Amino acid sequence: MSETSRPCPETDTHCPYCALQCGTRLTGDHAAAVTVEPTDFPVNRGKLCQKGWTAPQVLSATDRLLTPLVRGRDGRLTEASWDTALDTVADSLLRTRAQHGPDALAVFGGGGLTNEKAYLLGKFARLALGTSQIDYNGRFCMSSAAAAGNDAFGLDRGLPFPVTDLARARTVLLAGANVAETMPPLMQHLDQAQLIVVDPRHSATARRAALHLQPAPGTDLALALGLMHLAVVEGLVDHAYIERRTRGFEAAVSRAAGWWPERVEAVTGVPVSAQRTAVHLLAESHDSYVLTGRGVEQHRQGTATTAAFINLALALGLPGSPGGGYGCLTGQGNGQGGREHGQKADQLPGYRSLTDPTDRAHVAGVWGVSPHQLPGPGRTAYELLDALGSEKGPRALLILGSNPAVSAPHSAQIAKRLASLDLLVVADFVPSETARMADVVLPVTQWAEEDGTLTNLEGRILRRRALLTPPPLVRSDLQILHDLAVRLGEPPDRYPAEPREVFEELRAASRGGRADYSGISYDRLDAGESLHWPCPDTAEPHPGTPRLFLDKFAHPDGRARFTDTDHHGPAEDTSGDYPVHATTGRVLAHYQSGAQTRRVAELSEAVPEAFVEVHPDTAARCGLADRGLARITSARGGMTARVRLDPTLRPDTVFVPFHFAGAGRANLFTHPALDPRSGMPEFKVSAVRLDPLPE
């Protein structure tokens, strides 16, 4: 149906930003006229944050990509037909593969892609390209929590309970999560709880807390071990639960025994009295939750740190209990579904493993190929980006839904690697910083122009519904993957371009997997059913699983696992040359690399440029003035930011948001040290120095 034939279109869908996926109702007959209202969806209950209210403005961005662009011999991107653009891409891919092998081709996806796109992207990489070199920007977001959750529970689902359960909580420990700015509608579910916030900053969330624990960056693991130690020595652990439902408690306790309160205070800066108060608040409340976020996960020991907080929750008997639990606050819009269906370097759809013969055989059967045709695991995200253009690395890269020129750590190095490629192809709807570097730019549909599904932070599968017809020369990512696959010699019917058809195949591929969607259908979702995975295809329609682990955990013996883990500190310490810790994060007005929100006038006016929060004493030592400019420099590089004095900060720590480009890129100084289990870079702690700059 054409746009003009719908004089007053309206549709219920979901916000395009974070993993809450707040319910929204869009109204309007063309991009500039679209308005949004919140719906009474369970996670947002009729509320939206500033980003959600202004989301329609991105639909009419003045620099919207409307036609394919191909870089000519003069070095400029110029308009081209779709046939020219796709032929250019396919010819280069075929030539590169013939000369250097399939792993010379790579794909980089995103945690904002719909389930259908994530699924088809993984299939395209492994069959049409034949490459093992695929990963996505969710590696920078959820990978540490996913690894720790799988180890502890046998299954990774961000929240193994509905968000609405938090409204009954008496006490909630938020470790490394500033939800008052990153997920404001979530705060209404926490209004009745005593909040314990673990954050080096006195954030907007910390200001609403009953107790704020303010550790030095990179010491969260020591704090978690210390809290476990106190829980044991003060007789607060649930021994009956531990005996009945877990394994490995003795080894975890033995490790925590070395982290007595005074040692923890010396390492973290958190007073002994505050440690003790936190443990008693958690243990003595009937309904307690431990929730982690990027602040504890984006470290080279992020998996171990998350595991230590899970250990604390297990010791107190919380996971799988009716009135408490552990959960991870997923960040990106489809951060949960995006990591379940095949765009991670080591996974197949349904959260299946690329190294498991049974999993490979199942997916290969759905795809109609031999299991031997499926490549093995490839490089994780930063390793993949850092290998681009090198002798043994990929020489061609296709990017969907990501802006790594801004979002990757040590971003100057990644920009060099991107520039060294023989072919860089970017599919986007605005000219992001990465798209401007591309050899071919493919204009794609926006969220309000497409159908599909996403999976929010509680494992609930949601329907994205189109309001508008896309501009004439704009195509969906699914159509692009289909068209490229055909040009690469694949059967056309192997890569459906209709979301519903892709989802039907995804259902089959996930059947019997840990993330089983086989019992979910568009018809059930459109009828208003609330379905959380796992939701297998059974004789009677399965109701879904809103609450996991109530009877058993997902390990074969049904028991959760404690993790034997210890604190080793960040990858680099402060020094005379770099005397201050820098940590990064989000602010209310912006999202991720800012490619969308920096194009919204209201949001850009609210926070127009990069800033650095500095304690007044630190600023005085460094010669910085409030509202003046500063250079923040690490051993890897530096960025420029506006100074904001904040007396609540630790004097040894500064904070910088990561949403800005150019000289304001925080990732110019961040550290690429990787977690050995998850491949997560150490975004959250870098040793830096501060220098004043003239206007």
Side-chain angles (χ1 to χ4, degrees), residues 168-184:
R168 300 191 298 270
R170 302 283 186 87
T171 302
V172 176
L173 172 67
L174 286 167
N178 180 19
V179 294
E181 289 196 81
T182 61
M183 295 179 168

Side-chain angles (χ1 to χ4, degrees), residues 657-682:
F658 54 63
H659 310 292
F660 297 93
R665 275 181 294 168
N667 282 315
L668 287 166
F669 68 71
T670 52
H671 205 297
L674 301 181
D675 183 302
R677 285 278 287 109
S678 67
M680 172 73 80
E682 185 147 86

Side-chain angles (χ1 to χ4, degrees), residues 119 123 127 360-371 373-374 490-491 493-494 505:
Y119 171 83
K123 182 180 182 182
L127 294 189
R360 291 172 64 88
H362 176 86
V363 174
V366 173
W367 289 351
V369 299
S370 165
Q373 289 182 245
L374 303 183
E490 288 285 288
D493 59 354
R494 185 173 281 172
E505 187 178 309

